[in-house]
Amino acid sequence: MKFDVAIIGGGLAGLTCGIQLAEQGKRCAIISAGQSALHFSSGSLDFLSYRPDGSAIDNPLDALAELAKHSPEHPYSLLGAECVKQMAGQAERLLQDCGLHFNGSIDHNHLRVTPLGTLRATWLSPVEVPTAAINSPLPWKRIAVVGIEGFLDFQPQLAAGSLAEQGIEVTTDYLHVPALDRLRNNPSEFRATNISRVLDLPENTELLAEELVRLADDVDAVILPACIGLENAKSVSLLCARVGKPVMLVPTLPPSLLGIRMHQALRRRFQQLGGQFMPGDSVLRAEIDGQCVKKIYTRNHTDIPVVADQVVLASGSFFSNGLIAEFDRIYEPVFGLDVLDASQRGDWTQENMFSPQPYLRFGVKTDQTLRGTVDGKPLSNLYIIGAVLGGYDPLQQGCGAGVSLVTAQYVAQQILALAEVAA
């Protein structure tokens, strides 16, 4: 199987890189081992949210210079502020072209409401998610936080308590929609995605609207768990029109409807452009000759190799087995790439679980153009993007999605530039 580009990993980084390349006519294959980490995400995308002291960043582009001083191995620092700014702008346009609609821009972060009712700084949030400007309150004085009877993955009282601490008048209640009774009787099926498939039916959306009209009579806005809008993206806007006030969504425990919807939109766009998506397959080994990746062998295709001019590793971190941790070492399992880590296991973690954990910065080392290295020497046609990269802490810095999008755009640009030179 011959392609222009083979991408290992079908998450946010792999898909956006593939889309960018396919838009320019490249024949791309994405080898995806399993469920994308997007299915476990909030649906919001962080670029650079927090300083080392924990304070929220308003203008993330202005913070890049300081980041380069204290985190020189961060992917943003390797690429440089001007490049990062350009790639972030390209990513915003790509997401929009995929039919994804967000509040926010690279010029300013904003605050989004979490499932616990707290506020977290971020870059882009789905338009249904309640947000506020940095250092500003939410735009509503009275909010109804409404759960779903029997649904354990969202507790309205917890969210209401945090919102009340911000000076908001909050009421809580539960929806009673008979159409959900069948799911409710089986707790293993009573999850956000299954609930959405029921509530997205027009007749049930109307029943939901009637319930919300009753519950939201004397409030300015309604907050629901994100259990609507998977199959019918217009469901939320229809609710808002029917209720006559904002109806907002916050993510639930996984599976996350907002993250799944994003993944589906990206995959759909990639395949519409002619990309080959290979789900449920994993790369077992690679054949390397003279610092060049020649062939890739996968589990499903056994002795039939994937051959590509360029290879992109977007396999994710420990969560996705892009990195493997054994008792005394951490390694990248496909190519045996150099890894940024700590040699002593005792240095992998901090005793205080709320402290930044060193292992979150572990990942693959690259050169300045994000090519992976073995024994310090870069492989000429292997690029590294997304969570498998080392040098940054996606939680403490709030930059996981931004790194995935920026590095994906950058590597796509590098590959396209090489193709132009070759032509």
Side-chain angles (χ1 to χ4, degrees):
M1 294 181 289
K2 180 69 169 71
F3 299 93
D4 296 323
V5 185
I7 300 170
I8 303 170
L12 180 62
L15 279 166
T16 52
C17 184
I19 290 168
Q20 184 76 5
L21 291 166
E23 285 180 340
Q24 301 302 315
K26 294 301 175 185
R27 187 164 183 262
C28 300
I30 291 179
I31 305 165
S32 180
Q35 200 170 62
S36 166
L38 282 173
H39 289 222
F40 300 84
S41 76
S42 68
S44 291
L45 302 173
D46 296 343
F47 176 80
L48 184 61
S49 299
Y50 293 98
R51 300 180 181 87
D53 63 4
S55 60
I57 294 172
D58 181 3
N59 189 321
L61 295 177
D62 287 350
L64 291 175
E66 183 63 27
L67 178 71
K69 293 179 182 178
H70 63 73
S71 297
E73 294 174 315
H74 195 291
Y76 293 165
S77 303
L78 293 178
L79 298 181
E82 191 58 39
C83 175
V84 169
K85 177 181 178 180
Q86 182 183 351
M87 296 303 106
Q90 287 185 12
E92 289 181 355
R93 291 189 290 274
L94 181 145
L95 294 169
Q96 186 174 16
D97 290 342
C98 292
L100 293 165
H101 304 290
F102 293 94
N103 287 323
S105 76
I106 194 59
D107 295 321
H108 291 281
N109 282 327
H110 61 267
L111 300 173
R112 67 173 176 89
V113 176
T114 73
L116 296 178
T118 56
L119 300 178
R120 178 171 175 82
T122 193
W123 168 27
L124 299 173
S125 290
V127 292
E128 301 92 342
V129 172
T131 62
I134 297 289
N135 298 321
S136 297
L138 290 169
W140 309 288
K141 298 295 185 183
R142 296 172 299 169
I143 296 176
V145 181
V146 181
I148 298 174
E149 184 182 23
F151 180 59
L152 302 180
D153 293 348
F154 175 75
Q155 300 298 321
Q157 292 82 4
L158 293 177
S162 297
L163 291 169
E165 291 177 358
Q166 301 167 37
I168 298 171
E169 183 181 334
V170 188
T171 63
T172 61
D173 215 316
Y174 288 91
L175 293 169
H176 306 278
V177 182
L180 295 174
D181 287 347
R182 182 186 63 80
L183 290 177
R184 190 177 291 108
N185 292 332
N186 188 341
S188 65
E189 292 187 10
F190 207 42
R191 295 290 180 262
T193 50
N194 292 333
I195 292 171
S196 180
R197 291 186 179 99
V198 175
L199 295 181
D200 285 350
L201 296 173
E203 61 272 24
N204 293 333
T205 303
E206 178 60 28
L207 292 175
L208 175 59
E210 291 176 3
E211 271 282 276
L212 291 179
V213 168
R214 179 179 66 83
L215 297 174
D217 181 52
D218 58 350
V219 298
D220 303 320
V222 179
I223 291 179
L224 296 175
C227 295
I228 187 168
L230 179 63
E231 303 292 339
N232 181 5
K234 296 181 179 180
S235 296
V236 179
S237 58
L238 290 173
L239 280 180
C240 292
R242 181 73 172 78
V243 176
K245 56 192 65 177
V247 177
M248 314 299 292
L249 304 180
V250 294
T252 67
L253 292 175
S256 165
L257 181 146
L258 296 173
I260 291 171
R261 192 173 65 188
M262 188 189 311
H263 183 257
Q264 289 177 340
L266 293 170
R267 177 174 171 176
R268 184 165 53 247
R269 174 66 172 164
F270 176 69
Q271 292 179 302
Q272 287 171 345
L273 293 166
Q276 180 71 39
F277 195 86
M278 300 162 64
D281 201 358
S282 58
V283 176
L284 301 178
R285 62 186 179 89
E287 184 178 303
I288 299 174
D289 182 29
Q291 300 302 114
C292 179
V293 178
K294 295 295 186 180
K295 299 176 181 178
I296 296 170
Y297 292 89
T298 74
R299 180 183 59 196
N300 291 354
H301 295 90
T302 60
D303 59 344
I304 303 174
V306 175
V307 179
D309 298 329
Q310 305 291 335
V311 179
V312 179
L313 183 65
S315 52
S317 188
F318 300 100
F319 179 81
S320 305
N321 292 323
L323 297 172
I324 303 295
E326 294 184 343
F327 186 80
D328 59 350
R329 68 168 182 149
I330 291 171
Y331 65 97
E332 186 282 312
V334 176
F335 302 97
L337 299 170
D338 297 334
V339 172
L340 176 69
D341 61 4
S343 58
Q344 299 298 316
R345 184 181 177 88
D347 296 328
W348 294 2
T349 59
Q350 295 278 2
E351 184 174 349
N352 184 344
M353 65 176 295
F354 296 106
S355 298
Q357 297 298 322
Y359 74 87
L360 290 173
R361 290 178 176 262
F362 295 172
V364 170
K365 292 181 181 179
T366 72
D367 67 5
Q368 293 294 120
T369 59
L370 299 186
R371 290 182 299 172
T373 66
V374 176
D375 296 329
K377 298 178 181 178
L379 300 181
S380 61
N381 67 334
L382 176 65
Y383 292 90
I384 317 300
I385 63 175
V388 73
L389 284 165
Y392 72 101
D393 185 333
L395 297 183
Q396 189 273 323
Q397 294 171 322
C399 61
V403 167
S404 290
L405 289 166
V406 164
T407 57
Q409 296 295 304
Y410 173 79
V411 163
Q413 187 178 78
Q414 292 296 106
I415 292 172
L416 292 170
L418 287 173
E420 287 184 7
V421 171

